Amino acid sequence: MPKTYSLHAEPGRLSLAGGATTLTVVRYPDVLLKTARTFVKDGHHDIAVVVAHMAAEVAAERVMRAAFEKLSIPALAQPVFDLLSGYNLGNDRVRKLYAALTGDDINARKFWHDFKQSAERRNRVVHEGHRPKAGEAEQSIEAVQALLWHLDRRR
């Protein structure tokens, strides 16, 4: 007789019932952060910084999009996002939008200084060709990880 499984998913939660099956859910920002760690190990510190911040931007967009839904104004999400140049919370305009949508004064958080420094490092890498050392890349990954943990708790 075949086993029956039940899967229930909602934002922030996933459960699977039935049998001895293990389901592991890995979110895209986590995959990007893992990839950034691999780049550090391989000596590609500049790419590691950029990929870590890609993870931060993906997570920020998802939290802000969910906030539009929660505020019952989902139709405004895309027109507002079209006005932005990205989802970098290190950018004051993006951070202010995030704060307005979520009520989270993120720049007052303990990890914010490190994240802001990392965002500036990312900008130097992308726009000025800065070549960070391994320690700088690792600091960026840790700063982004702290941000991701914070954003996960906000969901």
Side-chain angles (χ1 to χ4, degrees):
M1 179 171 178
K3 293 189 180 209
T4 302
Y5 297 93
S6 170
L7 176 66
H8 175 74
E10 61 187 57
R13 294 186 60 183
L14 180 70
S15 62
L16 176 68
T21 301
T22 301
L23 175 66
T24 303
V25 177
V26 180
R27 292 177 294 196
Y28 189 49
D30 297 324
V31 171
L32 288 170
L33 210 53
K34 182 178 180 182
T35 302
R37 287 185 175 100
T38 300
F39 279 125
V40 170
K41 288 178 190 170
D42 292 345
H44 302 291
H45 309 131
D46 49 351
I47 298 171
V49 170
V50 173
V51 171
H53 277 273
M54 287 169 57
E57 290 194 34
V58 168
E61 178 194 5
R62 289 178 177 182
V63 169
M64 288 190 291
R65 194 170 294 278
F68 276 106
E69 291 281 340
K70 188 174 183 179
L71 294 169
S72 299
I73 51 172
L76 282 180
Q78 198 56 53
V80 170
F81 289 156
D82 288 346
L83 297 172
L84 302 176
S85 61
Y87 304 99
N88 177 3
L89 289 172
N91 176 300
D92 285 339
R93 288 185 314 156
V94 176
R95 181 191 48 78
K96 287 176 184 177
L97 174 62
Y98 167 84
L101 289 169
T102 65
D104 180 15
D105 188 16
I106 198 166
N107 61 319
R109 304 296 177 174
K110 191 166 74 171
F111 64 84
W112 184 253
H113 175 76
D114 292 340
F115 179 78
K116 185 72 173 173
Q117 277 188 321
S118 180
E120 291 167 3
R121 179 180 304 120
R122 175 257 179 224
N123 290 343
R124 287 194 315 275
V125 167
V126 170
H127 302 293
E128 300 169 14
H130 174 65
R131 303 287 305 221
K133 303 214 181 303
E136 291 177 292
E138 290 165 359
Q139 288 171 350
S140 285
I141 290 170
E142 292 308 313
V144 169
Q145 181 67 74
L147 174 73
L148 295 181
W149 285 333
H150 178 77
L151 294 178
D152 280 347
R153 288 194 307 270
R154 302 284 311 160
R155 296 181 120 204

